[in-house]
Amino acid sequence: MRFDILTLFPDFFPPFLEEGVLGRAVKKGILNVRLTDIRSFADGRHKVTDDRPYGGGNGMVMKPGPIYQALKSIERTGDDVITILLTPQGRKFNQAVAWDLAEKSHIILICGRYEGVDERIISGHVDLELSIGDYVLSGGETAAMVVVDAVGRLVPGVLGGEKSNTEDSFEDGLLEHPHFTRPRNFMGQDVPEILLSGDHERIRIWRRKESLKRTLEKRPDLLKDRDLGEEDRRLLKEIEKLAEKG
Ligand code: 6GU
């Protein structure tokens, strides 16, 4: 999969693209990430990329010209290309959006700055506006990293021999069960006995129940309007009974 990132701050990205799971996928060529400095497409000696808003007001607006020229410089590969603007006004990014994007052959990410991008870029040259949450970032760069990470790891081969992503939090709409590793006793706290039992079926059920319990406690919104299977409904009843007893 190819990503093109259009940004005023290309230097933010290399360390992020060199480490860990993504770094390995980039080295292997499974992910191809290119950086384009929007400023290099600005005119004049001063390479100005923003300007005051028509109509007055605070803040600067990213000029359409440099972004347009930067977009034009990108060779489109494959027939499934999407151009995305990272902006707090966009559709909220989540795991379902990540899966949709993982189907694309080529994703072009434009990093906006908070004050905004000239509307004619959005209306004429952007397929999708994405936000990573309801808070304010000073630019779309960190959001672009979030999207490259979440989408990139869904591309076949990126996770390599490690566990598949199907067990991750959110993949089935629930939070993950707790995890433990050695030592068996840490500062007076023991690993739950059942995890040492070797009884895979009981462990599976215990994990599912913990997963439901956590989701109920921390993210009840994830359980709303969700069709649960018979086992999940039974486990939830048990959880509720335990809670009543206090
Ligand atoms: Cl994509 N950009 C900015 N500037 N702020 C954000 C955001 C994006 N998502 C949440 N806040």
Side-chain angles (χ1 to χ4, degrees), residues 173-213:
L174 299 181
L175 301 183
E176 273 190 67
H177 58 75
H179 302 279
F180 298 89
T181 186
R182 287 189 288 185
R184 262 176 84 158
N185 181 287
F186 178 69
M187 311 276 281
Q189 294 190 85
D190 279 324
V191 171
E193 201 60 39
I194 188 163
L195 297 178
L196 312 172
S197 71
D199 185 336
H200 299 297
E201 178 59 8
R202 282 185 58 223
I203 291 172
R204 183 191 68 74
I205 293 171
W206 181 85
R207 284 182 166 161
R208 189 71 191 174
K209 191 166 170 181
E210 291 299 314
S211 181
L212 286 161
K213 204 191 285 178

Side-chain angles (χ1 to χ4, degrees), residues 86-88 112-114 130-140 143:
L86 282 319
T87 160
R113 51 177 292 166
Y114 175 62
L130 277 185
S131 159
I132 61 163
D134 294 336
Y135 39 78
V136 177
L137 303 170
S138 32

